[in-house]
Amino acid sequence: MAIILGIESSCDESAAALIGSDRSILAHRLAGQEDAHRPYGGVVPEIAARAHVQILTPLIQAALDDAGLTLDDVDAVAATAGPGLIGGVMVGLVTAKALAMAAGKPLIAVNHLEGHALSPRLADASLEFPYLLLLVSGGHCQILRVDGVGQYRRLATTIDDAAGEAFDKTAKILRLGYPGGPKVEALAKTGDARAVPLPRPLLGSAEPHFSFAGLKSAVLRAAQSGSHRPEDIAASFQAAVVDCLIDRLEKALSGSADEGESPRTLVVAGGVAANGAIRSALEALANRHDMGFVAPPLWLCTDNAAMIGWAGAERFALGLTDPLDIAARPRWPLDPQAEAARGAGVKA
């Protein structure tokens, strides 16, 4: 069994994990920064990077201690090399380079999005390629056909805001605090999802992509009107997001078999995959299409080092390692050949 040290620092979570190639999680340590960012209503990149510098090294040592291992016992060091807040990414990647060089271990530079994309395979050993993936987080909202490690075909992306970004902005509008996604979901449970007429951008459109900027603006107008209860706005907003996700996935499913074997499983990953209403709607969609459905456990949806360690293990098994001079990347698409989307296509 190969043992991979995984390091994650792409946003406001510092994390370290020891992952076995047999899917065993030998140790996982995570330190959030919510208290540091809460006064600002969102993540401040400079604060996040400084926190990673202070936290990451003792966190890695704690993970090694938890597993009863030393660096000599590790077969490779994997770290997020992008995309993400570049200061934080650099802290984690430089730390991984130093450890790999000092211990004479291979370095694996992991695409953070690939960590999310492969995380369901850590949780479910029966999940095989190909599968259809909804990758939905604070910074990304994509539908991808996953044919193997490093083999991704992007079918849709957001042309403006990601779904998670819309959740966070809705929370800010409703003054729910940070982090926003879980707070919106909790408030929505007490509201009427039909009470506030909100748009479903691109619903039924021939264009495959997502758009959530207009929905966010409609939430702002609804809140400013003073005519609706916050819980009804939250519930109506969440219902609109679900409708948009399901509509775009229906379109993707109708064309996902254009190349090769049809995906047999619908998979969701990323921070927004922790939302219960979204998970339930996706499972129902999969059932309607006679597909399997896989979603990671909630703790594996948000940013963590276990998914980075597992992506490293998958790449290590294929002999995919990286030189010590590899650079951190603020942008790193899983499918660099995908046609650029209109609008904010940089999120492709």
Side-chain angles (χ1 to χ4, degrees):
M1 178 183 75
I3 298 174
I4 309 298
L5 168 61
I7 299 171
E8 158 62 16
S9 61
S10 64
C11 191
D12 62 335
E13 306 282 1
S14 302
L18 280 303
I19 304 298
S21 57
D22 63 351
R23 292 181 168 81
S24 56
I25 301 174
L26 306 176
H28 185 262
R29 286 281 187 137
L30 184 145
Q33 304 173 11
E34 292 179 5
D35 291 343
H37 299 287
R38 186 173 288 112
Y40 306 98
V43 178
V44 180
E46 176 65 17
I47 292 175
R50 289 179 180 273
H52 290 309
V53 171
Q54 296 171 348
I55 295 169
L56 205 50
T57 299
L59 204 66
I60 293 168
Q61 185 60 59
L64 287 166
D65 292 343
D66 289 346
L69 300 173
T70 69
L71 200 56
D72 289 336
D73 300 313
V74 170
D75 292 283
V77 181
T80 298
L85 301 178
I86 192 62
V89 172
M90 290 176 66
V91 172
L93 185 58
V94 168
T95 301
K97 288 179 179 182
L99 293 173
M101 183 172 63
K105 305 293 182 178
L107 173 72
I108 303 171
V110 174
N111 184 319
H112 180 83
L113 301 181
E114 184 166 55
H116 281 303
L118 297 177
S119 64
R121 283 172 50 82
L122 171 60
D124 189 338
S126 67
L127 178 59
E128 297 181 351
F129 303 117
Y131 52 85
L132 189 70
L133 171 69
L134 173 64
L135 176 54
V136 57
S137 67
H140 296 84
C141 188
Q142 303 179 3
I143 301 173
L144 299 127
R145 179 189 167 105
V146 181
D147 287 313
V149 177
Q151 300 176 46
Y152 306 97
R153 181 180 168 223
R154 197 206 72 199
L155 305 178
T157 188
T158 179
I159 63 173
D160 42 58
D161 289 354
E165 187 177 356
F167 266 96
D168 286 340
K169 290 180 178 177
T170 293
K172 194 168 186 177
I173 290 168
L174 298 179
R175 299 180 180 179
L176 300 180
Y178 171 83
K183 295 181 182 298
V184 172
E185 181 183 9
L187 185 62
K189 292 177 180 177
T190 66
D192 181 355
R194 298 167 296 180
V196 185
L198 294 176
R200 271 73 171 159
L202 296 182
L203 195 77
S205 170
E207 184 176 8
H209 302 307
F210 298 94
S211 171
F212 293 103
L215 174 58
K216 172 202 65 181
S217 298
V219 167
L220 177 61
R221 291 192 295 272
Q224 290 175 336
S225 73
S227 302
H228 306 286
R229 300 186 306 159
E231 54 265 42
D232 291 339
I233 295 175
S236 299
F237 162 78
Q238 183 172 265
V241 172
V242 168
D243 288 348
C244 292
L245 294 176
I246 297 302
D247 179 75
R248 302 290 80 193
L249 278 165
E250 288 277 14
K251 181 171 182 57
L253 283 168
S254 68
S256 62
D258 290 346
E259 296 181 10
E261 181 183 357
S262 297
R264 299 181 296 275
T265 308
L266 175 62
V267 176
V268 63
V272 182
N275 180 284
I278 290 174
R279 288 166 83 101
S280 295
L282 294 175
E283 186 170 14
L285 173 66
N287 289 337
R288 291 197 298 272
H289 286 267
D290 295 321
M291 299 176 72
F293 176 69
V294 173
L298 299 185
W299 75 270
L300 199 52
C301 293
T302 52
D303 290 352
N304 63 86
M307 71 180 190
I308 302 303
W310 175 250
E314 293 241 42
R315 297 186 71 81
F316 185 69
L318 297 174
L320 301 175
T321 61
D322 297 283
L324 289 175
D325 62 354
I326 191 166
R329 301 172 65 173
R331 301 285 183 188
W332 191 358
L334 283 177
D335 180 6
Q337 304 305 316
E339 182 180 352
R342 67 180 175 90
V346 293
K347 294 186 178 182

